[in-house]
Structure formats: C-alpha cells, structure tokens
Amino acid sequence: MHDTPKGDAGAPRNEPEAPRNAADAAQSHPARSGIDVTAKRSGVRRAFIASLTGTALEWYDFAVYSAAAALVFGDLFFPSEDPLTGTLLAFSTYAVGYLSRPLGGFVFGRLGDVIGRKKVLIATLVLIGVATFAIGLLPAYGTIGVAAPIALVVLRFAQGVGVGGEWGGAVLLSSEFGDSRRRGFYASAAQVGPPAGNLLANGVLAALGALLTEAQFESWGWRVAFLLSGVLVGFGLWIRAKLEETPVFKAMEAEQSRPQTPIREVFTTQPRALTAAILCRVGPDVLYAMFTVFVLTYATQELDMSRGSALAAVLIGSSVQVFLMPLAGALSDRVNRRLLYGVSAIAAAVWPFVFFPMAAGGSWLPLAAGVLVALVIHCCLYGPQAAFIAEQFSPRLRYTGSSLAYTLAGIIGGAIAPLLFTTLLSAYDSWVPLALYIALASAISLVGVILGRDPEAAVDEDAQLAAPKTPVAADLPLPR
C-alpha cells in the first residue's frame, strides 16, 4: 500500500465531493479562483507545446550525441586499431550522460518542488544547450590529445545533469495544467520529446551525410549538428519564458504546503512508489537504446549495411513515434494504464527474438520493419509512462519523486545498455544474448507495474488540492 500524505489524515467524511481537477474547481467556484475558462484552455495548449518542444530540443542535443557516438566519436576521440574497441569507449561516454542524470534529478527535482516548475525548466534547457554547443567546438584527439576525450566526458556529464532535471518538470508542466483524468495524454507531451529529438538529430546527420563526403563528415560535418543546438535552445527558451507557473504548484504555494526536504520525504514516506517508478522504466530504456542507438552499430558492423540505410530505418520508426506517443498516452486514459503497460512489456520481451533472425539477411526492408515494430511497442510503454510515474507520488513530492525515479532508472537501464550490447556482441558474436538482455529488462518493468498504483488515487489527490477549503469551526467568526 502507498503511504497517504499526512495532510489527508483524519479528513472529515461528510465533506462535499471535491472537483476532479483544477478546471472543474474553477468553474464550480469562480469567485475563489477567478480563472477564465478561455485563458485556462489557452494555458493548457501553451503548456503542452512548451513541454513537447522544450523536451524535443533537449533530446535533440542528447540524441545527436548518441548517434555521433555510434558513428564517428570512436575514431575521433578514442582512436584504436580495433573499430569495436573505439565504439566501446565512445559508448562509455554515452553512459556518462545517464550516470550524471541522478545529480540533475536530485538538484533540479528538489528545486522544482520548492521554487516552482517554470524556473527549473528554463535552467535545464540552458545547461544542456550550452554543453551541446561546446561539443561542436571541441577539438579531436588528433589535435589536443587526451584532453579531447576528457573534455567530451565533462560536457556529456553536463548534458546528463540537464536532462535529469528536465523530464520530471516537463511532465508536470503539461499534466498539471490539464485535466488530471486525461493525465496520460497531457503527460505524453514530454514523451514525444525523445522520438522528436531523435528524429531531428538523425535527420540532420543523415542530411549532412548525404551532402558531404565521408571525409568531410568525419572532419567537420558532424559539428554542424551540435552547433545548431544554439538556435534551437533559443527557440525553446522563448516559448517557456511566456508560461505561468502550474496551477498545482500555485495551490501548494497558497496553502504553504511546499516540502522543505522533498528528497528525504520521498525516500522515507513513499519507498514503494519510488521502487515501482524506477523499475517500470528499465525495459523501455533498454528497448529504446537497442532500436535507436545500438542498431546503428549492429547494422553497419554486423550486417554490412551503409550508415545512411541504418539511419533511415531509425528515422522512419522515430517519425511514427512522434504521432503514436500521444495516442498511446490517450489510450491509457481509456483503458487500465497498468494493463496496457504490462502487455506492452511482454511484447517488448518477445520481439527481439523475432527481429534479429528477420534482419540477419542484411536487407534494408526487414531491418526497417523490425525497428518500426519495436518502436511502436516502445510507444505503448513510453507514452503512458510519464503519467504512470507521476501519479505514483503525491502532488507536493511529484517533481522530486518523478525526477529521482527517471534518473535512477536510467543508470540501470539506458546508461549501460549500449555498452552491454557491444560487450555481449563482442564476447559471444551472437544476437541471442542481446535478446535475452532485453527480455530481462522487460521483466523488471513488469514487476514495477505490479507494484504501482492505479491513476484514481492521484486524480483524487489533485482534486483535493484544487478544491476550496471549508473553514473549520475554530476559524469562524464568533456570534455577536
């Protein structure tokens, strides 16, 4: 059972039924809230767009690094006679971006529950944008020696810190403005970010690869993709600066219920919620790492396919995800979210055993179809995931809890996945260990789903926070 927030203890049974969300509260009690319905709807749309675009821009930065690690960083920053060894070292820096995420989750997650969602989201966008732009200017190993990979690791670390603080806030930015009964759809705005960012990053790299020779791309072409980050981040800041703080955080401010030590409270009062939220992320992270990152290495080095063909397969899958992600989130509002997540986790465990034999011939069409199916399954996991994680925690601890779960899960999920895929393939020269690894990760997510709670509890908590408070007898004026 989940711990009930202390503020709920001993609540009178005869209180009138609370509105189900902030919008209902506004319509039922206009004198108290003063919220204009049209302005409310406009705020919801702006929050959805800001969550989607900001997260997409940050994931563009993260994804362009991931693709570059698979394609060029091994040769440029970790020169080795064995190409697989260079790729292995490049993926080690890829993992640093995940290992640093918990720091972002701890720092920015706490700040998001204390000072507000909007301020933190602007800070994370600036951090990751500056780090990515700097990578585009970084000299390679042949120019400055060992200082090059060291600087690359430091900048990758900064990227991870920014992403670690971004996700939880982006989820809350859209979901706390919207109807809590449609949390799956509204929270999916942040989930569209990774495929949209991945699509943009791989699209830019594919275009550069088509326009430039191999030598030009490896010499300076890849840098263009990183330098574009400066323009994109400026656009994201312009959108987020126009937003107001979320209604849920405003309500917490009005009630003076913001936590003073949110990290400690999450670990001490909601351990099951944190465990469920962490475990549910492992499978989708590993699946995504396989079919958007490592598949580039697998296709080029094991199947002898061209870089452009491999990137095209990922681009197709990512473009479909952009549209399917919100649909999957909306579907989870209509059916049992935990059931959808559990069935999709099982599908994720089974599909690799179909994909690898199907792609073994080295033809592009089976590879592209296999990647597409895998990413559709990932949509059914990742689309509802933001809502599932957020609703595990009470509103006053939601930014901290969601950020901690997201970042800690990344260490055991996405951080080491490309590294383990490369190691397993090098050691066994077979796809079977890769498929077994994905199946194990999916089983871990299934355990998290079983431990988690259904959305109704979180809807009730949001409604209680939004509802007007009836004065207790001690606060009423004495009769004259």
Side-chain angles (χ1 to χ4, degrees):
M1 297 292 292
H2 286 273
D3 301 289
T4 302
K6 293 181 180 180
D8 298 343
R13 292 286 186 180
N14 59 350
E15 287 185 355
E17 183 179 358
R20 300 297 284 178
N21 55 71
D24 292 345
Q27 294 174 8
S28 301
H29 306 275
R32 173 183 179 269
S33 64
I35 299 176
D36 180 78
V37 175
T38 302
K40 170 70 178 178
R41 291 174 179 171
S42 177
V44 171
R45 287 194 297 270
R46 285 198 303 267
F48 190 91
I49 293 171
S51 177
L52 190 158
T53 54
T55 309
L57 295 178
E58 293 203 357
W59 273 93
Y60 166 84
D61 294 348
F62 211 71
V64 78
Y65 185 102
S66 302
L71 299 173
V72 298
F73 279 179
D75 293 331
L76 292 176
F77 292 93
F78 306 95
S80 171
E81 294 181 359
D82 180 13
L84 197 59
T85 301
T87 302
L88 190 64
L89 292 172
F91 279 146
S92 297
T93 63
Y94 170 89
V96 168
Y98 281 87
L99 295 175
S100 61
R101 284 186 186 183
L103 178 59
F106 274 84
V107 174
F108 293 116
R110 177 188 179 280
L111 290 175
D113 281 327
V114 174
I115 68 173
R117 289 35 166 155
K118 175 183 173 179
K119 295 176 182 176
V120 171
L121 285 171
I122 290 176
T124 59
L125 190 59
V126 171
L127 176 60
I128 193 170
V130 170
T132 306
F133 189 84
I135 291 175
L137 300 175
L138 190 63
Y141 185 93
T143 303
I144 60 173
V146 72
I150 292 175
L152 184 65
V153 170
V154 171
L155 293 172
R156 177 62 170 176
F157 186 92
Q159 273 192 326
V161 172
V163 172
E166 158 73 16
W167 185 84
V171 168
L172 301 187
L173 184 66
S174 55
S175 64
E176 289 185 349
F177 267 101
D179 185 344
S180 58
R181 291 167 295 183
R182 299 182 61 196
R183 197 192 311 273
F185 171 73
Y186 286 115
S188 70
Q191 305 302 81
V192 178
N198 191 59
L199 177 64
L200 184 59
N202 283 289
V204 169
L205 289 171
L208 290 171
L211 294 172
L212 304 175
T213 65
E214 193 83 10
Q216 289 174 328
F217 182 85
E218 292 186 0
S219 175
W220 58 268
W222 63 272
R223 297 181 184 276
V224 175
F226 285 85
L227 296 177
L228 278 175
S229 174
V231 178
L232 298 175
V233 168
F235 175 72
L237 287 175
W238 176 71
I239 292 178
R240 286 188 173 177
K242 290 185 164 187
L243 285 174
E244 296 182 359
E245 189 52 81
T246 72
V248 170
F249 187 80
K250 286 182 177 180
M252 290 192 296
E253 278 188 311
E255 294 187 358
Q256 297 183 344
S257 62
R258 290 176 294 173
Q260 298 301 312
T261 56
I263 296 175
R264 180 181 63 81
E265 285 191 52
V266 168
F267 279 105
T268 58
T269 67
Q270 299 187 337
R272 176 167 176 168
L274 184 60
T275 301
I278 289 173
L279 296 183
C280 80
R281 272 192 51 82
V282 176
D285 266 12
V286 172
L287 186 72
Y288 194 71
M290 172 66 226
F291 288 99
T292 62
V293 179
F294 186 75
V295 72
L296 299 175
T297 299
Y298 187 81
T300 55
Q301 295 188 9
E302 293 296 312
L303 303 180
D304 293 325
M305 299 179 67
S306 69
R307 174 188 294 150
S309 297
L311 282 171
V314 174
L315 280 171
I316 291 173
S318 295
S319 62
V320 171
Q321 278 200 307
V322 170
F323 300 100
L324 285 185
M325 204 70 77
L327 293 178
L331 178 62
S332 75
D333 291 325
R334 296 181 175 274
V335 302
N336 186 284
R337 191 157 14 250
R338 295 171 69 201
L339 177 62
L340 176 62
Y341 210 112
V343 171
S344 302
I346 294 172
V350 172
W351 182 245
F353 293 94
V354 179
F355 166 76
F356 285 108
M358 184 172 72
S363 299
W364 180 82
L365 187 58
L367 177 81
V371 170
L372 176 61
V373 172
L375 293 182
V376 169
I377 295 172
H378 181 262
C379 281
C380 295
L381 289 162
Y382 202 67
Q385 184 186 94
F388 180 79
I389 290 177
E391 65 202 11
Q392 300 306 308
F393 304 96
S394 60
R396 63 191 299 273
L397 298 173
R398 199 168 279 162
Y399 201 141
T400 301
S402 298
S403 296
L404 290 178
Y406 176 80
T407 56
L408 293 174
I411 295 177
I412 57 177
I416 61 174
L419 196 60
L420 276 180
F421 284 136
T422 306
T423 302
L424 289 171
L425 185 62
S426 177
Y428 296 99
D429 194 25
S430 169
W431 60 265
V432 176
L434 310 182
L436 290 173
Y437 173 36
I438 297 173
L440 175 61
S442 301
I444 291 173
S445 285
L446 194 58
V447 174
V449 172
I450 294 171
L451 290 174
R453 66 174 180 173
D454 281 323
E456 287 76 11
V459 172
D460 291 340
E461 289 171 349
D462 287 4
Q464 186 176 31
L465 184 63
K469 301 299 181 288
T470 303
V472 297
D475 297 329
L476 295 175
L478 294 175
R480 293 178 182 266

